[in-house]
Amino acid sequence: IKLLGIATNRQSLIEFKNNLEGNEDFSSVSIPISSLEAEANIEYEMSFDYLPIKPEKKIKLKLN
């Protein structure tokens, strides 16, 4: 997934990145260093992989 956006400040962008990294549904979270140069109103580009949710176990039904 490629995400483009505007962050209020550098700290909120870093927190967002850390939250994604802490979630097992996402991996390979990446933000270019250039996105972290500014202090406020940061236009950023982020990429990450979304790992699909594991399929639920199928329940076998017995029909009479």
Side-chain angles (χ1 to χ4, degrees):
I1 296 174
K2 189 174 190 178
L3 180 68
L4 305 172
I6 299 175
T8 307
N9 56 50
R10 184 184 307 149
Q11 185 60 38
S12 65
L13 181 56
I14 291 171
E15 287 175 14
F16 179 51
K17 179 182 182 287
N18 290 339
N19 286 336
L20 285 175
E21 289 175 330
N23 187 320
E24 63 185 31
D25 289 338
F26 301 98
S27 71
S28 305
V29 181
S30 176
I31 300 175
I33 294 287
S34 60
S35 294
L36 300 173
E37 292 176 341
E39 288 288 332
N41 298 321
I42 303 168
E43 290 186 29
Y44 67 90
E45 178 180 307
M46 179 184 293
S47 62
F48 51 89
D49 295 331
Y50 175 71
L51 307 174
I53 297 173
K54 296 176 186 172
E56 294 182 29
K57 292 181 181 178
K58 292 184 179 180
I59 300 171
K60 294 181 180 179
L61 298 176
K62 291 184 179 181
L63 300 175
N64 293 335

Short mmCIF file of all heavy atoms in Angstrom, two decimals:
data_model
loop_
_atom_site.label_atom_id
_atom_site.label_comp_id
_atom_site.label_asym_id
_atom_site.label_seq_id
_atom_site.Cartn_x
_atom_site.Cartn_y
_atom_site.Cartn_z
N ILE A 1 0.86 -1.17 0.00
CA ILE A 1 0.00 0.00 0.00
C ILE A 1 0.89 1.22 0.00
O ILE A 1 1.90 1.26 0.70
CB ILE A 1 -0.93 0.00 1.24
CG1 ILE A 1 -1.86 -1.19 1.18
CG2 ILE A 1 -1.69 1.31 1.34
CD1 ILE A 1 -2.70 -1.38 2.41
N LYS A 2 0.52 2.22 -0.78
CA LYS A 2 1.24 3.49 -0.80
C LYS A 2 0.27 4.55 -0.31
O LYS A 2 -0.85 4.66 -0.82
CB LYS A 2 1.71 3.80 -2.21
CG LYS A 2 2.63 4.97 -2.29
CD LYS A 2 3.16 5.10 -3.72
CE LYS A 2 4.27 6.10 -3.80
NZ LYS A 2 4.80 6.17 -5.16
N LEU A 3 0.68 5.30 0.67
CA LEU A 3 -0.17 6.29 1.30
C LEU A 3 0.48 7.66 1.20
O LEU A 3 1.66 7.82 1.52
CB LEU A 3 -0.38 5.91 2.77
CG LEU A 3 -1.24 6.81 3.63
CD1 LEU A 3 -2.68 6.74 3.17
CD2 LEU A 3 -1.14 6.38 5.08
N LEU A 4 -0.26 8.64 0.72
CA LEU A 4 0.20 10.02 0.66
C LEU A 4 -0.66 10.85 1.59
O LEU A 4 -1.86 10.64 1.67
CB LEU A 4 0.08 10.58 -0.76
CG LEU A 4 0.76 9.79 -1.87
CD1 LEU A 4 0.38 10.36 -3.22
CD2 LEU A 4 2.25 9.79 -1.68
N GLY A 5 -0.05 11.77 2.32
CA GLY A 5 -0.83 12.57 3.24
C GLY A 5 -0.07 13.77 3.76
O GLY A 5 1.05 14.06 3.33
N ILE A 6 -0.69 14.46 4.70
CA ILE A 6 -0.08 15.61 5.37
C ILE A 6 -0.20 15.38 6.86
O ILE A 6 -1.30 15.14 7.37
CB ILE A 6 -0.76 16.94 4.97
CG1 ILE A 6 -0.64 17.17 3.46
CG2 ILE A 6 -0.17 18.10 5.76
CD1 ILE A 6 -1.37 18.39 2.95
N ALA A 7 0.94 15.42 7.54
CA ALA A 7 0.97 15.26 8.99
C ALA A 7 1.09 16.62 9.64
O ALA A 7 1.78 17.51 9.13
CB ALA A 7 2.13 14.38 9.41
N THR A 8 0.44 16.78 10.78
CA THR A 8 0.49 18.04 11.52
C THR A 8 1.92 18.38 11.92
O THR A 8 2.35 19.52 11.80
CB THR A 8 -0.38 17.95 12.79
OG1 THR A 8 -1.67 17.52 12.42
CG2 THR A 8 -0.46 19.28 13.50
N ASN A 9 2.64 17.36 12.41
CA ASN A 9 4.04 17.58 12.81
C ASN A 9 4.81 16.27 12.70
O ASN A 9 4.23 15.21 12.48
CB ASN A 9 4.12 18.16 14.23
CG ASN A 9 3.41 17.30 15.25
OD1 ASN A 9 3.62 16.09 15.30
ND2 ASN A 9 2.54 17.91 16.03
N ARG A 10 6.11 16.36 12.88
CA ARG A 10 6.99 15.20 12.74
C ARG A 10 6.65 14.12 13.78
O ARG A 10 6.63 12.94 13.46
CB ARG A 10 8.45 15.62 12.89
CG ARG A 10 9.41 14.47 12.66
CD ARG A 10 10.86 14.83 12.90
NE ARG A 10 11.24 16.00 12.16
CZ ARG A 10 12.17 16.87 12.58
NH1 ARG A 10 12.77 16.70 13.73
NH2 ARG A 10 12.47 17.91 11.85
N GLN A 11 6.39 14.54 15.00
CA GLN A 11 6.10 13.59 16.07
C GLN A 11 4.85 12.75 15.75
O GLN A 11 4.85 11.54 15.94
CB GLN A 11 5.94 14.29 17.41
CG GLN A 11 5.76 13.34 18.58
CD GLN A 11 6.93 12.38 18.77
OE1 GLN A 11 8.08 12.77 18.57
NE2 GLN A 11 6.64 11.15 19.11
N SER A 12 3.81 13.37 15.23
CA SER A 12 2.59 12.61 14.92
C SER A 12 2.84 11.63 13.77
O SER A 12 2.28 10.53 13.76
CB SER A 12 1.42 13.54 14.61
OG SER A 12 1.66 14.29 13.46
N LEU A 13 3.68 12.00 12.83
CA LEU A 13 4.02 11.11 11.72
C LEU A 13 4.81 9.91 12.23
O LEU A 13 4.54 8.77 11.86
CB LEU A 13 4.81 11.86 10.65
CG LEU A 13 5.22 11.07 9.41
CD1 LEU A 13 4.02 10.43 8.73
CD2 LEU A 13 5.99 11.96 8.44
N ILE A 14 5.76 10.14 13.11
CA ILE A 14 6.55 9.05 13.69
C ILE A 14 5.65 8.13 14.52
O ILE A 14 5.78 6.91 14.46
CB ILE A 14 7.72 9.61 14.52
CG1 ILE A 14 8.73 10.28 13.58
CG2 ILE A 14 8.38 8.51 15.35
CD1 ILE A 14 9.82 11.06 14.28
N GLU A 15 4.73 8.70 15.29
CA GLU A 15 3.81 7.88 16.08
C GLU A 15 2.93 7.02 15.18
O GLU A 15 2.66 5.85 15.50
CB GLU A 15 2.95 8.76 16.98
CG GLU A 15 3.71 9.35 18.15
CD GLU A 15 2.88 10.31 18.98
OE1 GLU A 15 1.64 10.35 18.82
OE2 GLU A 15 3.48 11.04 19.78
N PHE A 16 2.46 7.58 14.08
CA PHE A 16 1.64 6.83 13.13
C PHE A 16 2.43 5.65 12.57
O PHE A 16 1.96 4.52 12.52
CB PHE A 16 1.16 7.76 12.02
CG PHE A 16 0.32 7.09 10.96
CD1 PHE A 16 -0.77 6.31 11.30
CD2 PHE A 16 0.61 7.27 9.63
CE1 PHE A 16 -1.56 5.70 10.32
CE2 PHE A 16 -0.16 6.66 8.64
CZ PHE A 16 -1.24 5.87 8.99
N LYS A 17 3.67 5.92 12.17
CA LYS A 17 4.55 4.87 11.65
C LYS A 17 4.76 3.78 12.71
O LYS A 17 4.66 2.59 12.42
CB LYS A 17 5.88 5.45 11.22
CG LYS A 17 6.87 4.44 10.69
CD LYS A 17 8.19 5.10 10.33
CE LYS A 17 9.19 4.13 9.75
NZ LYS A 17 9.76 3.23 10.73
N ASN A 18 5.04 4.18 13.93
CA ASN A 18 5.27 3.22 15.02
C ASN A 18 4.02 2.37 15.30
O ASN A 18 4.13 1.18 15.59
CB ASN A 18 5.73 3.92 16.29
CG ASN A 18 7.14 4.47 16.16
OD1 ASN A 18 7.91 4.04 15.31
ND2 ASN A 18 7.47 5.44 16.99
N ASN A 19 2.85 3.00 15.24
CA ASN A 19 1.60 2.25 15.45
C ASN A 19 1.39 1.20 14.36
O ASN A 19 0.95 0.08 14.65
CB ASN A 19 0.40 3.20 15.50
CG ASN A 19 0.34 3.97 16.79
OD1 ASN A 19 0.87 3.55 17.81
ND2 ASN A 19 -0.30 5.13 16.75
N LEU A 20 1.70 1.54 13.12
CA LEU A 20 1.58 0.56 12.04
C LEU A 20 2.56 -0.59 12.26
O LEU A 20 2.22 -1.76 12.09
CB LEU A 20 1.82 1.21 10.68
CG LEU A 20 0.71 2.08 10.13
CD1 LEU A 20 1.15 2.75 8.85
CD2 LEU A 20 -0.55 1.27 9.89
N GLU A 21 3.79 -0.25 12.64
CA GLU A 21 4.80 -1.28 12.87
C GLU A 21 4.43 -2.20 14.03
O GLU A 21 4.78 -3.37 14.03
CB GLU A 21 6.16 -0.64 13.14
CG GLU A 21 6.77 0.00 11.91
CD GLU A 21 8.05 0.74 12.18
OE1 GLU A 21 8.24 1.27 13.30
OE2 GLU A 21 8.88 0.81 11.26
N GLY A 22 3.70 -1.67 15.00
CA GLY A 22 3.29 -2.46 16.15
C GLY A 22 2.08 -3.34 15.89
O GLY A 22 1.72 -4.17 16.71
N ASN A 23 1.44 -3.16 14.75
CA ASN A 23 0.26 -3.94 14.40
C ASN A 23 0.68 -5.11 13.52
O ASN A 23 1.32 -4.92 12.48
CB ASN A 23 -0.73 -3.04 13.65
CG ASN A 23 -2.04 -3.71 13.37
OD1 ASN A 23 -2.10 -4.87 13.04
ND2 ASN A 23 -3.11 -2.94 13.50
N GLU A 24 0.34 -6.32 13.93
CA GLU A 24 0.78 -7.51 13.20
C GLU A 24 0.16 -7.64 11.80
O GLU A 24 0.62 -8.46 11.00
CB GLU A 24 0.49 -8.77 14.01
CG GLU A 24 -0.97 -9.03 14.26
CD GLU A 24 -1.20 -10.22 15.17
OE1 GLU A 24 -0.37 -10.49 16.04
OE2 GLU A 24 -2.24 -10.87 14.99
N ASP A 25 -0.82 -6.84 11.48
CA ASP A 25 -1.42 -6.89 10.14
C ASP A 25 -0.61 -6.11 9.10
O ASP A 25 -0.91 -6.17 7.91
CB ASP A 25 -2.85 -6.33 10.16
CG ASP A 25 -3.82 -7.25 10.87
OD1 ASP A 25 -3.53 -8.46 10.97
OD2 ASP A 25 -4.87 -6.77 11.32
N PHE A 26 0.41 -5.38 9.54
CA PHE A 26 1.21 -4.57 8.63
C PHE A 26 2.68 -4.92 8.76
O PHE A 26 3.16 -5.25 9.84
CB PHE A 26 1.02 -3.07 8.93
CG PHE A 26 -0.40 -2.62 8.80
CD1 PHE A 26 -1.20 -2.50 9.92
CD2 PHE A 26 -0.95 -2.34 7.57
CE1 PHE A 26 -2.53 -2.09 9.81
CE2 PHE A 26 -2.27 -1.93 7.45
CZ PHE A 26 -3.06 -1.81 8.58
N SER A 27 3.43 -4.83 7.66
CA SER A 27 4.86 -5.05 7.69
C SER A 27 5.54 -4.14 6.67
O SER A 27 4.87 -3.52 5.83
CB SER A 27 5.21 -6.51 7.41
OG SER A 27 4.96 -6.83 6.06
N SER A 28 6.85 -4.08 6.73
CA SER A 28 7.67 -3.30 5.79
C SER A 28 7.23 -1.84 5.72
O SER A 28 7.13 -1.26 4.64
CB SER A 28 7.64 -3.92 4.39
OG SER A 28 8.04 -5.27 4.43
N VAL A 29 6.95 -1.22 6.87
CA VAL A 29 6.53 0.18 6.92
C VAL A 29 7.73 1.05 6.59
O VAL A 29 8.79 0.92 7.19
CB VAL A 29 5.96 0.54 8.30
CG1 VAL A 29 5.51 1.98 8.33
CG2 VAL A 29 4.81 -0.38 8.66
N SER A 30 7.57 1.94 5.61
CA SER A 30 8.69 2.76 5.15
C SER A 30 8.25 4.20 4.87
O SER A 30 7.23 4.43 4.22
CB SER A 30 9.26 2.13 3.87
OG SER A 30 10.27 2.93 3.33
N ILE A 31 9.05 5.13 5.39
CA ILE A 31 8.86 6.56 5.11
C ILE A 31 10.21 7.10 4.65
O ILE A 31 11.21 6.92 5.34
CB ILE A 31 8.42 7.35 6.36
CG1 ILE A 31 7.11 6.84 6.92
CG2 ILE A 31 8.31 8.84 6.06
CD1 ILE A 31 6.70 7.51 8.21
N PRO A 32 10.26 7.78 3.49
CA PRO A 32 11.54 8.37 3.07
C PRO A 32 12.04 9.40 4.09
O PRO A 32 11.24 10.11 4.70
CB PRO A 32 11.20 9.04 1.74
CG PRO A 32 9.94 8.40 1.28
CD PRO A 32 9.20 7.99 2.53
N ILE A 33 13.34 9.46 4.26
CA ILE A 33 13.96 10.41 5.19
C ILE A 33 13.53 11.84 4.85
O ILE A 33 13.32 12.66 5.74
CB ILE A 33 15.50 10.30 5.14
CG1 ILE A 33 15.95 8.95 5.66
CG2 ILE A 33 16.17 11.42 5.88
CD1 ILE A 33 15.83 8.77 7.14
N SER A 34 13.35 12.13 3.59
CA SER A 34 12.97 13.49 3.18
C SER A 34 11.62 13.90 3.78
O SER A 34 11.36 15.09 3.97
CB SER A 34 12.92 13.59 1.66
OG SER A 34 11.98 12.68 1.13
N SER A 35 10.78 12.93 4.11
CA SER A 35 9.49 13.24 4.73
C SER A 35 9.64 13.68 6.18
O SER A 35 8.70 14.22 6.75
CB SER A 35 8.57 12.01 4.67
OG SER A 35 8.23 11.70 3.35
N LEU A 36 10.79 13.44 6.77
CA LEU A 36 10.99 13.79 8.17
C LEU A 36 11.84 15.04 8.36
O LEU A 36 12.20 15.39 9.48
CB LEU A 36 11.64 12.60 8.91
CG LEU A 36 10.83 11.31 8.89
CD1 LEU A 36 11.64 10.17 9.47
CD2 LEU A 36 9.53 11.48 9.64
N GLU A 37 12.16 15.74 7.29
CA GLU A 37 13.00 16.94 7.38
C GLU A 37 12.27 18.13 7.97
O GLU A 37 12.84 18.89 8.74
CB GLU A 37 13.56 17.30 6.00
CG GLU A 37 14.55 16.30 5.48
CD GLU A 37 15.04 16.61 4.08
OE1 GLU A 37 14.38 17.38 3.36
OE2 GLU A 37 16.07 16.06 3.71
N ALA A 38 11.01 18.30 7.63
CA ALA A 38 10.25 19.46 8.10
C ALA A 38 9.72 19.20 9.52
O ALA A 38 9.62 18.07 9.97
CB ALA A 38 9.09 19.75 7.16
N GLU A 39 9.37 20.28 10.22
CA GLU A 39 8.83 20.18 11.59
C GLU A 39 7.30 20.11 11.60
O GLU A 39 6.72 19.47 12.46
CB GLU A 39 9.28 21.39 12.42
CG GLU A 39 10.74 21.39 12.79
CD GLU A 39 11.08 20.35 13.85
OE1 GLU A 39 10.20 20.01 14.66
OE2 GLU A 39 12.22 19.87 13.85
N ALA A 40 6.64 20.83 10.69
CA ALA A 40 5.17 20.91 10.71
C ALA A 40 4.61 20.90 9.29
O ALA A 40 5.32 21.19 8.32
CB ALA A 40 4.74 22.18 11.42
N ASN A 41 3.33 20.56 9.19
CA ASN A 41 2.63 20.47 7.90
C ASN A 41 3.45 19.68 6.88
O ASN A 41 3.78 20.16 5.80
CB ASN A 41 2.32 21.87 7.36
CG ASN A 41 1.39 22.62 8.28
OD1 ASN A 41 0.46 22.04 8.86
ND2 ASN A 41 1.65 23.90 8.47
N ILE A 42 3.73 18.45 7.26
CA ILE A 42 4.64 17.60 6.49
C ILE A 42 3.87 16.80 5.44
O ILE A 42 2.98 16.02 5.77
CB ILE A 42 5.37 16.61 7.42
CG1 ILE A 42 6.12 17.38 8.50
CG2 ILE A 42 6.29 15.71 6.64
CD1 ILE A 42 6.62 16.49 9.63
N GLU A 43 4.19 17.02 4.19
CA GLU A 43 3.66 16.17 3.13
C GLU A 43 4.52 14.92 3.11
O GLU A 43 5.74 15.00 3.02
CB GLU A 43 3.73 16.89 1.78
CG GLU A 43 2.77 18.05 1.68
CD GLU A 43 2.73 18.66 0.29
OE1 GLU A 43 2.97 17.94 -0.69
OE2 GLU A 43 2.46 19.87 0.20
N TYR A 44 3.88 13.76 3.25
CA TYR A 44 4.66 12.54 3.33
C TYR A 44 4.12 11.47 2.39
O TYR A 44 3.00 11.54 1.91
CB TYR A 44 4.68 11.99 4.77
CG TYR A 44 3.33 11.50 5.25
CD1 TYR A 44 2.94 10.18 5.05
CD2 TYR A 44 2.45 12.36 5.89
CE1 TYR A 44 1.71 9.73 5.49
CE2 TYR A 44 1.22 11.91 6.33
CZ TYR A 44 0.86 10.60 6.14
OH TYR A 44 -0.37 10.16 6.57
N GLU A 45 4.98 10.51 2.16
CA GLU A 45 4.65 9.33 1.38
C GLU A 45 5.10 8.14 2.21
O GLU A 45 6.22 8.09 2.68
CB GLU A 45 5.41 9.36 0.06
CG GLU A 45 5.20 8.18 -0.82
CD GLU A 45 5.99 8.29 -2.11
OE1 GLU A 45 5.86 9.32 -2.79
OE2 GLU A 45 6.74 7.34 -2.41
N MET A 46 4.21 7.21 2.43
CA MET A 46 4.52 6.05 3.24
C MET A 46 4.11 4.80 2.46
O MET A 46 3.11 4.82 1.73
CB MET A 46 3.72 6.13 4.55
CG MET A 46 3.92 4.97 5.49
SD MET A 46 2.86 5.08 6.96
CE MET A 46 3.53 6.50 7.78
N SER A 47 4.87 3.75 2.61
CA SER A 47 4.48 2.49 1.98
C SER A 47 4.57 1.38 3.03
O SER A 47 5.37 1.45 3.97
CB SER A 47 5.37 2.18 0.78
OG SER A 47 6.71 2.03 1.18
N PHE A 48 3.72 0.39 2.87
CA PHE A 48 3.72 -0.75 3.78
C PHE A 48 2.95 -1.90 3.14
O PHE A 48 2.22 -1.71 2.18
CB PHE A 48 3.12 -0.38 5.15
CG PHE A 48 1.78 0.30 5.09
CD1 PHE A 48 0.61 -0.42 5.08
CD2 PHE A 48 1.71 1.68 5.05
CE1 PHE A 48 -0.62 0.21 5.04
CE2 PHE A 48 0.48 2.33 5.01
CZ PHE A 48 -0.69 1.59 5.00
N ASP A 49 3.19 -3.07 3.68
CA ASP A 49 2.48 -4.26 3.23
C ASP A 49 1.35 -4.56 4.21
O ASP A 49 1.54 -4.47 5.42
CB ASP A 49 3.42 -5.47 3.18
CG ASP A 49 4.51 -5.32 2.14
OD1 ASP A 49 4.28 -4.62 1.14
OD2 ASP A 49 5.59 -5.90 2.33
N TYR A 50 0.19 -4.91 3.66
CA TYR A 50 -0.94 -5.33 4.48
C TYR A 50 -1.01 -6.85 4.41
O TYR A 50 -1.13 -7.42 3.33
CB TYR A 50 -2.24 -4.71 3.98
CG TYR A 50 -3.45 -5.21 4.73
CD1 TYR A 50 -3.68 -4.84 6.04
CD2 TYR A 50 -4.35 -6.09 4.13
CE1 TYR A 50 -4.78 -5.31 6.74
CE2 TYR A 50 -5.45 -6.56 4.81
CZ TYR A 50 -5.66 -6.17 6.12
OH TYR A 50 -6.74 -6.65 6.81
N LEU A 51 -0.91 -7.48 5.55
CA LEU A 51 -0.96 -8.94 5.60
C LEU A 51 -2.41 -9.35 5.79
O LEU A 51 -3.06 -8.92 6.74
CB LEU A 51 -0.10 -9.45 6.76
CG LEU A 51 1.34 -8.93 6.76
CD1 LEU A 51 2.06 -9.35 8.01
CD2 LEU A 51 2.08 -9.39 5.52
N PRO A 52 -2.94 -10.17 4.90
CA PRO A 52 -4.36 -10.54 5.00
C PRO A 52 -4.66 -11.24 6.33
O PRO A 52 -3.83 -11.91 6.90
CB PRO A 52 -4.58 -11.48 3.83
CG PRO A 52 -3.26 -11.75 3.23
CD PRO A 52 -2.26 -10.82 3.83
N ILE A 53 -5.89 -11.06 6.74
CA ILE A 53 -6.36 -11.70 7.97
C ILE A 53 -6.41 -13.21 7.72
O ILE A 53 -6.82 -13.67 6.67
CB ILE A 53 -7.74 -11.15 8.35
CG1 ILE A 53 -7.63 -9.66 8.66
CG2 ILE A 53 -8.32 -11.91 9.53
CD1 ILE A 53 -8.97 -9.00 8.88
N LYS A 54 -6.00 -13.95 8.72
CA LYS A 54 -6.01 -15.41 8.60
C LYS A 54 -7.45 -15.90 8.44
O LYS A 54 -8.35 -15.41 9.11
CB LYS A 54 -5.39 -16.03 9.84
CG LYS A 54 -3.94 -15.68 10.02
CD LYS A 54 -3.40 -16.25 11.30
CE LYS A 54 -1.98 -15.75 11.53
NZ LYS A 54 -1.48 -16.11 12.85
N PRO A 55 -7.65 -16.86 7.57
CA PRO A 55 -9.01 -17.38 7.39
C PRO A 55 -9.52 -18.05 8.66
O PRO A 55 -8.76 -18.68 9.38
CB PRO A 55 -8.88 -18.38 6.24
CG PRO A 55 -7.44 -18.68 6.12
CD PRO A 55 -6.68 -17.53 6.74
N GLU A 56 -10.79 -17.88 8.91
CA GLU A 56 -11.41 -18.50 10.07
C GLU A 56 -11.56 -20.00 9.82
O GLU A 56 -11.67 -20.44 8.68
CB GLU A 56 -12.79 -17.89 10.33
CG GLU A 56 -12.74 -16.45 10.75
CD GLU A 56 -14.13 -15.91 11.04
OE1 GLU A 56 -15.01 -16.70 11.44
OE2 GLU A 56 -14.32 -14.70 10.85
N LYS A 57 -11.56 -20.75 10.90
CA LYS A 57 -11.77 -22.19 10.78
C LYS A 57 -13.19 -22.44 10.31
O LYS A 57 -14.14 -21.85 10.82
CB LYS A 57 -11.53 -22.89 12.11
CG LYS A 57 -10.10 -22.86 12.56
CD LYS A 57 -9.93 -23.59 13.87
CE LYS A 57 -8.51 -23.55 14.33
NZ LYS A 57 -8.33 -24.24 15.63
N LYS A 58 -13.33 -23.32 9.34
CA LYS A 58 -14.66 -23.65 8.84
C LYS A 58 -15.30 -24.67 9.77
O LYS A 58 -14.64 -25.63 10.21
CB LYS A 58 -14.57 -24.19 7.42
CG LYS A 58 -14.13 -23.14 6.42
CD LYS A 58 -14.15 -23.67 5.03
CE LYS A 58 -13.74 -22.58 4.06
NZ LYS A 58 -13.75 -23.06 2.67
N ILE A 59 -16.53 -24.47 10.04
CA ILE A 59 -17.29 -25.37 10.89
C ILE A 59 -18.02 -26.36 10.01
O ILE A 59 -18.73 -25.97 9.07
CB ILE A 59 -18.29 -24.60 11.79
CG1 ILE A 59 -17.53 -23.62 12.68
CG2 ILE A 59 -19.13 -25.55 12.59
CD1 ILE A 59 -18.44 -22.67 13.43
N LYS A 60 -17.84 -27.64 10.31
CA LYS A 60 -18.54 -28.67 9.53
C LYS A 60 -19.93 -28.87 10.12
O LYS A 60 -20.08 -29.08 11.32
CB LYS A 60 -17.76 -29.98 9.56
CG LYS A 60 -16.44 -29.88 8.85
CD LYS A 60 -15.71 -31.22 8.87
CE LYS A 60 -14.38 -31.10 8.15
NZ LYS A 60 -13.64 -32.36 8.17
N LEU A 61 -20.91 -28.74 9.27
CA LEU A 61 -22.29 -28.93 9.70
C LEU A 61 -22.74 -30.34 9.39
O LEU A 61 -22.45 -30.88 8.31
CB LEU A 61 -23.20 -27.94 8.99
CG LEU A 61 -22.94 -26.46 9.25
CD1 LEU A 61 -23.87 -25.61 8.39
CD2 LEU A 61 -23.13 -26.12 10.72
N LYS A 62 -23.44 -30.94 10.33
CA LYS A 62 -24.03 -32.25 10.10
C LYS A 62 -25.48 -32.06 9.72
O LYS A 62 -26.24 -31.42 10.42
CB LYS A 62 -23.93 -33.11 11.36
CG LYS A 62 -22.52 -33.51 11.71
CD LYS A 62 -22.50 -34.44 12.90
CE LYS A 62 -21.09 -34.86 13.23
NZ LYS A 62 -21.05 -35.77 14.38
N LEU A 63 -25.83 -32.59 8.58
CA LEU A 63 -27.20 -32.50 8.12
C LEU A 63 -27.90 -33.82 8.40
O LEU A 63 -27.36 -34.90 8.15
CB LEU A 63 -27.25 -32.19 6.63
CG LEU A 63 -26.58 -30.86 6.22
CD1 LEU A 63 -26.59 -30.74 4.71
CD2 LEU A 63 -27.28 -29.69 6.85
N ASN A 64 -29.10 -33.74 8.94
CA ASN A 64 -29.86 -34.97 9.25
C ASN A 64 -30.60 -35.47 8.06
O ASN A 64 -31.12 -34.90 7.24
CB ASN A 64 -30.83 -34.72 10.41
CG ASN A 64 -30.05 -34.45 11.70
OD1 ASN A 64 -28.91 -34.88 11.84
ND2 ASN A 64 -30.68 -33.75 12.61
#
